[in-house]
Amino acid sequence: MFGAAGMALSLVFSLPAAAKVLAKVDGAEITDDDVKLALDDIGATLPQQLQGAEKEAYVVDYLIDMKLVAKKAAADKLGDDPEFTRRLTYMRERALMETLFGKLSKDSATDAALKEVYDQAAKTQKPEPEVKARHILVPTEAEAKMALKRVRDGEDFAKVATEVSKDPGSQGGDLGWFTKEQMVPEFADAAFSMTPNQISEPVKSQFGWHIIKVEDKREKTFPKFEEVKDQVTQYVVQRAQQDVIMKLRSAAKIERTTPEAPKK
């Protein structure tokens, strides 16, 4: 229906885009694909202020220098050096490993696989009580009673905590949400026995004396899939990679002359 012209046009659009040539060194091309590859390698070491066209120009210069130096090294027969051969073998094997792992990542982290792992984890996680609280931490019981009196006389709890509490990790005494096992037993027993807006008597723990204000309570539920998708993906990919490694190890003849690393 479209004729030869239409067929030719469709073929043009189906072809992958050609790499853009950014420079030539004695006829050897440096393309935007080469820049992307170099950025994967050295991008983290570049100055942060380099962005956009300036960053690309910097990497092109790096690639020009690399080609020139590599050409001289080859002319000096450094490629025949045993140490170079060892390094080349190592880098080739590492690149092959990373390429295989990259393929595994795409193949294993399917939506179905991620959802299956998430659903299995969600089934084993039971709802757990959580408390949202603030506290004032001081060294002595006498100081705790003085802080409690100020709060009960109408001063803002967060204000008193900011002024006298010795816990540098909580702004205004705010501890956020926590489960019982996240706190020392004395503190947890007191906090989880209280009701919202209740303020405790002084509570002694290994850290000192606490005045606790419970602000809210809830049941901790399993996070939604979208909230933990990145962690699930990482787990699925690592499991797939580990499975491949274990299968390859079991099929190979491995002889060590040094002790194995301790199992983690």
Side-chain angles (χ1 to χ4, degrees):
M1 181 177 178
F2 293 104
M7 184 177 294
L9 189 61
S10 65
L11 286 173
V12 169
F13 281 111
S14 66
L15 291 173
K20 180 182 177 183
V21 177
L22 303 177
K24 290 184 180 181
V25 181
D26 294 332
E29 294 180 347
I30 294 174
T31 69
D32 54 350
D33 285 343
D34 296 324
V35 170
K36 291 174 186 175
L37 191 62
L39 281 171
D40 286 341
D41 182 32
I42 66 168
T45 67
L46 297 180
Q48 290 187 352
Q49 63 266 28
L50 285 177
Q51 297 295 330
E54 188 179 9
K55 188 174 189 179
E56 182 181 272
Y58 183 97
V59 176
V60 170
D61 279 338
Y62 166 80
L63 291 171
I64 290 171
D65 293 342
M66 185 172 70
K67 282 192 177 294
L68 291 171
V69 174
K71 188 174 180 180
K72 182 180 185 332
D76 292 346
K77 305 297 184 183
L78 295 181
D80 299 333
D81 185 78
E83 178 61 24
F84 173 79
T85 302
R86 278 194 294 272
R87 287 189 65 192
L88 188 62
T89 299
Y90 170 80
M91 294 174 71
R92 180 179 183 275
E93 290 177 348
R94 187 181 71 178
L96 284 169
M97 180 183 70
E98 291 173 350
T99 301
L100 176 60
F101 279 174
K103 184 177 183 301
L104 272 176
S105 298
K106 292 180 181 178
D107 293 345
S108 62
T110 63
D111 289 341
L114 299 182
K115 198 67 169 63
E116 181 182 359
V117 168
Y118 171 82
D119 290 341
Q120 288 175 350
K123 287 177 184 177
T124 63
Q125 181 70 44
K126 297 179 180 179
E128 189 176 8
E130 277 191 314
V131 162
K132 187 176 188 294
R134 293 180 184 269
H135 81 142
I136 298 169
L137 174 64
V138 289
T140 67
E141 184 179 14
E143 290 173 283
K145 288 181 177 179
M146 290 175 60
L148 178 60
K149 183 177 186 305
R150 289 178 60 182
V151 171
R152 287 185 172 167
D153 285 347
E155 287 193 60
D156 179 67
F157 192 98
K159 175 177 174 292
V160 177
T162 298
E163 292 178 4
V164 304
S165 181
K166 305 303 180 185
D167 178 10
S170 59
Q171 298 295 319
D174 188 10
L175 297 170
W177 290 97
F178 54 87
T179 56
K180 196 167 186 178
E181 71 274 5
Q182 289 177 289
M183 297 296 176
V184 292
E186 303 87 350
F187 188 99
D189 289 343
F192 279 83
S193 68
M194 297 164 61
T195 57
N197 296 316
Q198 185 178 353
I199 297 173
S200 73
E201 295 292 329
V203 175
K204 190 176 188 302
S205 79
Q206 67 196 68
F207 301 106
W209 289 84
H210 308 262
I211 303 299
I212 306 168
K213 179 182 180 181
V214 170
E215 296 187 329
D216 204 355
K217 301 179 86 171
R218 69 182 182 187
E219 290 291 311
K220 179 184 179 181
T221 56
F222 201 70
K224 295 179 180 178
F225 176 71
E226 292 74 17
E227 296 173 0
V228 292
K229 185 176 180 180
D230 289 346
Q231 295 97 305
V232 176
T233 300
Q234 184 180 22
Y235 169 78
V236 169
V237 168
Q238 288 180 345
R239 185 178 65 177
Q241 293 174 350
Q242 189 64 28
D243 286 346
V244 167
I245 290 172
M246 296 308 295
K247 288 177 183 176
L248 292 172
R249 277 178 169 262
S250 65
K253 182 181 179 181
I254 300 173
E255 300 176 60
R256 298 183 66 109
T257 58
T258 56
E260 289 190 34
K263 296 291 187 293
K264 293 185 179 181

